[in-house]
Amino acid sequence: MPPALRGSQAEPGPRCEALRKRESRAPAEGRSCRPDPAPALAALGGVGGGWAALAFVTLLGFASRFYRLQQPPHVCWDETHFGKMGSYYINRTFFFDVHPPLGKMLIGLAGYLSGYDGTFPFQKPGDRYEQHNYIGMRGFCAFLGSCLVPFVYLTVLELSKSLPAALLSAFILIFDTGCITLSQYILLDPILMFFIMAAVLSMVKYNSCADRPFSLPWWFWLSLTGVNLAGAMGVKFVGLFVVILVGLNTISDLWDLLGDLSLSLVMFGKHLLARVLCLILLPLALYMALFAVHFAVLNKSGPGDGFYSSAFQSRLIGNNLHDVSIPEHLAYGSVVTMKNLRMAGGYLHSHWHLYPEGVGARQQQVTAYLHKDLNNLWIIKKYDSNADHLDPSCTVEFVRHGDIIRLEHKETSRNLHSHQHEAPLTRKHFQVTGYGINGTGDSNDFWRIEVVGRKSGKLIKVLRSQIRLTHVATGCILGSSGKMLPKWGWEQVEVTCTPYLKENPSSLWNIEDHINPKLPNISLDVLKPSFTEILLESHMVMIRGNSGLKPKENEVTSKPWHWPINYQGLRFSGINETDYRVYLLGNPVVWWLNLVTIGVYFLMTTSTAVAMKRGVQQMTEHRELFQVLLRGGGQIMLGWLLHYLPFYMMGRVLYFHHYFPAMLFSSMLTGITWDTLLKFCTGHLLSSTMARRVYTCGVLTLVLLIVYSFYLFHPLSYGMVGPMASDPNSSMAGLRWLESWEF
């Protein structure tokens, strides 16, 4: 494991020499010995004024995020979604989202505690809040966004032991227009970044306690790391990236401990168990607990029902399946509805309308319909008999796994049918139709009913059994393609018969409604899924929903290579001169400085590695500076890579705001890299007095550039009214440095 995975902690005082003699054990103890800075740099490089500086940057961070928080007093960008979801929690109404629930739960809690009653509809951007109290939810997100500043400051201070490096990183974050904008609205991003940075800070602090294993601070920071990992994963699945970062750090730590021959295997086992407990079991328990709270709070039927299975829906108060009694096992003559297990796959449906001329055979349409309807009802019949199984003289005969059946549409008396005509939309799939008169058709109406994971002859349960219908004549499988039919199909979902036998939710169904007066009813309570089952189902639905996200009409999407260069922003509010316009865009000086720094960092680390390999002699001070760069900077660089590169492999729609967690790491890297570079150059080339002046001027120049750029671009975050930037009379005239910026 490369040394970049470990944090760097300086060790002042007389123990330095002793630590040098124990160099082989230093990795295991997580310490590095760094001599006092050169006298010329001591005043700026010390940490004596650390607390005052922390208070100063924290105050600036909060002031920049809470300034004009109430503006604009209308819905902006994704407040439409996450404000509405906060309302759902207050009203206890179930909904569907592609992210885990923690962020929305916290937004709902903040709204509830601040007096918001959950009645604002959040229908579309631009809707005015009027008398509704939205400040509490915005204020909560702004508070967490403000906390990023002290988190970054403390992390960089711990890794570099340099006050200027910590201040530079903090100023970058304070005066970044993009971070301010993202923190001022009801969004998940500030909540996610809060937990990511809290996890990184806890990890770095826990590394610094490596010489005091199993002490109270060691346990505290190790446990807090696990808590923050659960928080990051509980807001968005991309929280997994910081989990990987902490995991790699832990593996490196344990590998070094294993190589410490003074450490017994029993003690190593204790170290291993402590990390399993705090970094695996604790986060997992907390993550499951927040889902338990999520399911307990959202106990009323709502707009998310249709994305989940019938068994899942039976838990929800107000759903037609809640607290009802129906026959448990399927029998011939039963009237049923069949729900596709694909997310938003709909109910098997037919109606009197025919497929139009030129679309397969001109027979009755069969579709999947997302709503309850009488045209969703089908009668289960034997393939070779048209007998009325509900006749009192007929004995009850149950449908079993492997039986060949016929499905007769109750309203039109036509059979579910397929043949080798091509499906309307999906090429190489077969068309599914309604065929026959009063249940009399042909052999293309026969289907074999099979239950996933069951043996031949077993009974079929409502709600719980996942069934597959295989067309006897062609061998294809009935499924929902998920594609919406044109207006001739009433914009319902296409149903096809696929010859590809790959098992997936699109080709699986379950019985939902079940009517058979000859069978005893049972309460659906006995069929309700367990917590483990609904937890797994909710994750499958979220993952499928996330991977299937597509851009909305006229929506600005972007590609990962756009993000570090600040190529294109996002309109949060307003599009013309009369609107109050807010535009998400990073401070150009900050973002381009971060981008240049990544190149500088790779150049410095490469040249240093080559020099060390060639045996070039270096002064002690320079060796220690490069240890900070390689270890502390390497850890931050790894965090940037983990939070950026995976987006190149994602198939889902991507937006500019997805880069901001990676931006946190690049900002910290900028502070560490430029601090190290300036100290090396000034200490190596200049006298002590001149070195101090040049170093101070270098740091101040970077800070002043950042502040001046913020002064120029701050209207992007705090709102613009009047002419667009292309107009010479605009307050932003001349600041549209890239054609792709749309403000």
Side-chain angles (χ1 to χ4, degrees):
M1 186 62 59
L5 292 179
R6 296 192 54 80
S8 172
Q9 290 81 30
E11 181 70 24
R15 292 181 61 202
C16 281
E17 196 61 39
L19 282 171
R20 283 197 193 93
K21 294 177 181 177
R22 294 159 56 199
E23 220 171 64
S24 63
R25 292 180 56 187
E29 297 181 0
R31 311 289 292 183
S32 65
C33 179
R34 177 181 174 187
D36 291 336
L41 305 177
L44 283 172
V47 295
W51 289 109
L54 174 62
F56 176 66
V57 296
T58 302
L59 182 63
L60 278 180
F62 274 79
S64 65
R65 271 66 177 168
F66 279 85
Y67 177 66
R68 303 190 72 173
L69 186 65
Q70 74 280 6
Q71 297 295 330
H74 59 247
V75 177
C76 294
W77 196 52
D78 270 359
E79 286 188 325
T80 308
H81 304 302
F82 303 119
K84 183 185 296 181
M85 292 169 187
S87 297
Y88 285 144
Y89 277 104
I90 293 172
N91 298 316
R92 307 194 68 175
T93 303
F94 189 78
F95 66 94
F96 163 72
D97 187 41
V98 297
H99 306 300
L102 179 59
K104 284 92 65 179
M105 280 199 292
L106 292 175
I107 289 171
L109 179 62
Y112 177 77
L113 294 177
S114 61
Y116 170 61
D117 59 5
T119 58
F120 186 73
F122 287 96
Q123 288 182 340
K124 63 183 185 300
D127 288 351
R128 297 188 69 83
Y129 286 111
E130 302 295 347
Q131 76 280 6
H132 295 276
N133 186 356
Y134 63 99
I135 293 298
M137 291 182 285
R138 279 192 183 175
F140 171 72
C141 293
F143 175 82
L144 297 188
S146 303
C147 289
L148 296 175
V149 174
F151 286 175
V152 162
Y153 171 89
L154 291 170
T155 301
V156 174
L157 188 63
E158 188 65 49
L159 290 174
S160 68
K161 298 302 180 187
S162 170
L163 184 60
L167 284 171
L168 181 57
S169 296
F171 281 131
I172 286 173
L173 215 59
I174 291 168
F175 295 110
D176 180 60
T177 50
C179 287
I180 291 173
T181 304
L182 215 55
S183 298
Q184 288 195 309
Y185 298 93
I186 307 169
L187 303 171
L188 296 185
D189 301 272
I191 308 175
L192 172 67
M193 291 192 291
F194 172 87
F195 283 111
I196 288 175
M197 272 311 308
V200 173
L201 175 60
S202 302
M203 177 188 74
V204 168
K205 287 287 190 181
Y206 138 70
N207 284 340
S208 72
C209 298
D211 62 334
R212 294 167 289 159
F214 308 108
S215 64
L216 187 60
W218 188 88
W219 278 113
F220 173 77
W221 289 114
L222 185 63
S223 302
L224 192 59
T225 303
V227 171
N228 289 317
L229 291 180
M233 278 293 294
V235 177
K236 282 188 177 184
F237 285 128
V238 292
L240 176 65
F241 302 150
V242 76
V243 174
I244 296 173
L245 176 64
V246 173
L248 292 174
N249 176 81
T250 304
I251 292 170
S252 173
D253 188 35
L254 289 172
W255 183 252
D256 287 339
L257 288 173
L258 187 62
D260 185 357
L261 299 181
S262 67
L263 198 69
S264 69
L265 288 179
V266 173
M267 185 58 67
F268 176 79
K270 290 181 179 179
H271 276 277
L272 178 62
L273 287 175
R275 287 153 179 81
V276 169
L277 175 66
C278 295
L279 300 180
I280 297 178
L281 298 182
L282 177 61
L284 188 61
L286 292 174
Y287 184 75
M288 294 175 66
L290 71 90
F291 271 93
V293 174
H294 168 72
F295 294 135
V297 172
L298 301 184
N299 63 352
K300 296 180 181 177
S301 179
D305 293 18
F307 291 91
Y308 293 82
S309 68
S310 305
F312 189 103
Q313 294 180 43
S314 68
R315 305 169 42 257
L316 302 172
I317 299 170
N319 189 281
N320 68 304
L321 294 173
H322 180 73
D323 202 23
V324 298
S325 298
I326 60 175
E328 180 179 10
H329 294 109
L330 196 62
Y332 288 104
S334 294
V335 178
V336 300
T337 60
M338 294 176 55
K339 187 175 187 301
N340 189 256
L341 298 191
R342 179 191 181 96
M343 187 179 65
Y347 297 92
L348 187 64
H349 176 97
S350 188
H351 40 236
W352 287 103
H353 301 278
L354 306 181
Y355 286 101
E357 197 71 45
V359 180
R362 191 166 167 76
Q363 296 174 5
Q364 186 169 295
Q365 295 177 16
V366 172
T367 65
Y369 190 47
L370 297 176
H371 306 283
K372 303 286 185 180
D373 190 277
L374 291 176
N375 281 324
N376 298 342
L377 296 174
W378 299 81
I379 306 171
I380 308 286
K381 293 195 171 183
K382 286 194 169 184
Y383 76 98
D384 56 355
S385 170
N386 215 12
D388 181 8
H389 289 273
L390 297 183
D391 190 296
S393 61
C394 288
T395 58
V396 172
E397 190 172 350
F398 289 105
V399 181
R400 299 177 181 273
H401 171 92
D403 283 3
I404 297 176
I405 64 168
R406 185 162 46 86
L407 283 169
E408 182 182 311
H409 190 241
K410 190 174 187 301
E411 292 296 305
T412 63
S413 298
R414 289 189 171 151
N415 297 327
L416 185 70
H417 177 99
S418 187
H419 44 223
Q420 293 187 348
H421 290 270
E422 193 169 71
L425 302 179
T426 307
R427 297 185 61 188
K428 298 184 179 180
H429 285 209
F430 298 147
Q431 182 188 32
V432 177
T433 68
Y435 180 75
I437 300 174
N438 293 326
T440 301
D442 60 24
S443 59
N444 280 328
D445 303 338
F446 303 158
W447 302 83
R448 179 178 291 104
I449 186 168
E450 299 167 315
V451 181
V452 175
R454 301 294 293 275
K455 294 181 179 179
S456 182
K458 294 293 184 180
L459 299 182
I460 298 171
K461 283 187 175 183
V462 299
L463 297 188
R464 303 306 299 274
S465 293
Q466 297 182 1
I467 62 175
R468 178 175 53 240
L469 290 173
T470 304
H471 192 242
V472 174
T474 63
C476 63
I477 298 175
L478 185 74
S480 167
S481 70
K483 298 177 182 178
M484 187 177 292
L485 294 168
K487 291 189 181 298
W488 57 256
W490 306 95
E491 297 182 340
Q492 295 172 12
V493 180
E494 179 191 41
V495 168
T496 70
C497 198
T498 172
Y500 307 106
L501 305 183
K502 183 179 178 182
E503 189 173 290
N504 57 53
S506 300
S507 60
L508 297 177
W509 307 77
N510 69 263
I511 305 298
E512 185 168 293
D513 297 294
H514 184 206
I515 304 167
N516 193 322
K518 298 178 70 174
L519 294 175
N521 291 335
I522 64 163
S523 171
L524 287 185
D525 283 342
V526 302
L527 299 178
K528 284 182 181 177
S530 66
F531 171 73
T532 303
E533 289 174 316
I534 62 176
L535 181 67
L536 291 174
E537 180 179 347
S538 64
H539 277 76
M540 292 302 298
V541 172
M542 284 189 291
I543 291 169
R544 290 202 299 266
N546 224 319
S547 61
L549 283 177
K550 304 297 179 187
K552 305 180 186 71
E553 190 175 353
N554 299 322
E555 193 171 40
V556 178
T557 61
S558 60
K559 297 178 180 178
W561 69 266
H562 291 170
W563 304 339
I565 63 175
N566 212 24
Y567 178 77
Q568 189 176 31
L570 272 171
R571 288 196 189 101
F572 264 49
S573 177
I575 57 174
N576 55 48
E577 291 188 10
T578 59
D579 290 338
Y580 187 93
R581 302 190 304 278
V582 176
Y583 190 71
L584 176 68
L585 186 75
N587 182 331
V589 169
V590 165
W591 285 58
W592 294 339
L593 177 64
N594 285 351
L595 183 61
V596 169
T597 300
I598 292 170
V600 171
Y601 176 81
F602 278 118
L603 184 63
M604 290 179 66
T605 51
T606 301
S607 59
T608 303
V610 170
M612 293 172 65
K613 194 70 174 175
R614 296 293 298 173
V616 176
Q617 294 298 315
Q618 296 176 337
M619 291 188 295
T620 303
E621 293 86 349
H622 295 164
R623 284 201 303 271
E624 297 302 329
L625 283 175
F626 285 121
Q627 283 299 311
V628 170
L629 192 68
L630 290 172
R631 293 187 177 183
Q635 205 164 13
I636 297 303
M637 173 57 76
L638 180 62
W640 179 78
L641 293 171
L642 287 172
H643 285 81
Y644 176 53
L645 293 184
F647 287 101
Y648 283 94
M649 297 175 279
M650 291 187 185
R652 56 153 291 171
V653 61
L654 297 172
Y655 303 99
F656 177 46
H657 70 99
H658 287 137
Y659 181 70
F660 278 82
M663 185 266 177
L664 296 176
F665 288 93
S666 64
S667 299
M668 290 188 286
L669 185 68
T670 296
I672 292 174
T673 301
W674 284 95
D675 176 73
T676 303
L677 180 62
L678 287 170
K679 283 179 177 176
F680 175 78
C681 292
T682 56
H684 187 66
L685 303 175
L686 303 172
S687 64
S688 59
T689 303
M690 184 60 68
R692 180 173 180 176
R693 290 175 182 173
V694 173
Y695 175 79
T696 304
C697 287
V699 173
L700 287 178
T701 299
L702 291 174
V703 171
L704 290 175
L705 279 173
I706 292 165
V707 174
Y708 181 66
S709 181
F710 171 74
Y711 167 74
L712 293 177
F713 288 93
H714 76 273
L716 297 177
S717 297
Y718 297 128
M720 304 167 282
V721 178
M724 305 293 280
S726 55
D727 191 317
N729 297 320
S730 170
S731 60
M732 302 297 290
L735 294 176
R736 192 162 173 247
W737 297 347
L738 295 181
E739 288 295 321
S740 51
W741 295 352
E742 300 172 326
F743 53 81

